[in-house]
Amino acid sequence: MKILVATEKPFAPLAVNMIREVTEAAGHELALLENYTDVADLLSEVADADALIVRSDKVTAQVLDAAKNLKIVVRAGAGYDNLDLTACSANNVVAMNTPGQNSNAVAELAFEMMLYQARGGFAGKAGTELRGKTLGLMAFGNVGKYMANIAKGFGMDVYAFDPFLSGEAIEKAGVKVCKTVDDLFSKCQYVSLHIPANDETKKSIGFELLKKMPKNAVLINTARKEVIDEDGLLKIFAERGDISYLSDVAPDCKNEFEEKYKDRFIFTAKKMGAQTKEANINAGVAAARQIADYFKTGNETFRLNK
Ligand code: 3PG
């Protein structure tokens, strides 16, 4: 079987070697398409692939139509808003993700941005500390749990809102429960988003929630830029000079931030949350193993589509 790794933002070389080892040990062949800028390259490479490993690369109906032999696609990572699951099912392609494998890297990036911002970008002025501050986790999944552990080490007061988890499960992790999103935003100076981008969550974080945040509010977004209502974000920035926005990937309104709100934002140049050697190895190798196992035993753990 031909397993294609198609990554517009490549894995670390060591991760690619390890993916190759797993693939070849299972008797399959590895093909690599890295750093591509034209979807036409993906369309031609995928034409004879039996399996596909991607990161945030878009697997659209067009890609699936071109992939006549494709049986399985694995998103090496957590968020699968880049996979057209309906088209996968229509083309009899099994779609999976690798939840949890890059979560520590994402949580560390959120903290790195928080620390950098709290110390004013290390520019020499007096900053603030995280100790004793409130942190609200918007969803308590894999990343949220890593965040809670790091935050507790820093002496932060940690809260979480998660409509899919019982209060007990959150409390067991030593985190205080917020029953509503409003409560989370009202209580916490720092709010970190760990929600997927879907029809319910897109543009769900906007002016009304952000205006509830305490003084010197910091919104951290290592989820997806699509969950932010950017008009609302700009409105709160215009009204409140004490709010900051730290985001893994710049919003569409980046220019306005650069013109008006210097020192109150951090935007990464490219999505960096999962961009560590360890996360690349964890997620990439998990993807290769899931594919090898699917071909060998039909194991469909982590299947996303019906
Ligand atoms: C994820 O959903 O797993 C992260 O956002 C990582 O995305 P990436 O693989 O494109 O860096």
Side-chain angles (χ1 to χ4, degrees), residues 60 65 79 93 132 159 161 173 210 219 245 247 261 264:
T60 59
D65 281 348
V93 172
Y159 293 80
F161 167 78
L210 296 171
L219 178 68
Y245 182 46
S247 179
Y261 304 120
R264 290 171 56 199

Side-chain angles (χ1 to χ4, degrees), residues 14-15 42 44 59 79-80 103 173 190 202 205 219 303:
L14 183 59
L42 175 58
S44 83
V59 180
Y80 50 88
S103 308
Y190 288 83
K202 281 183 187 162
I205 310 297
L219 178 68
R303 181 170 181 158

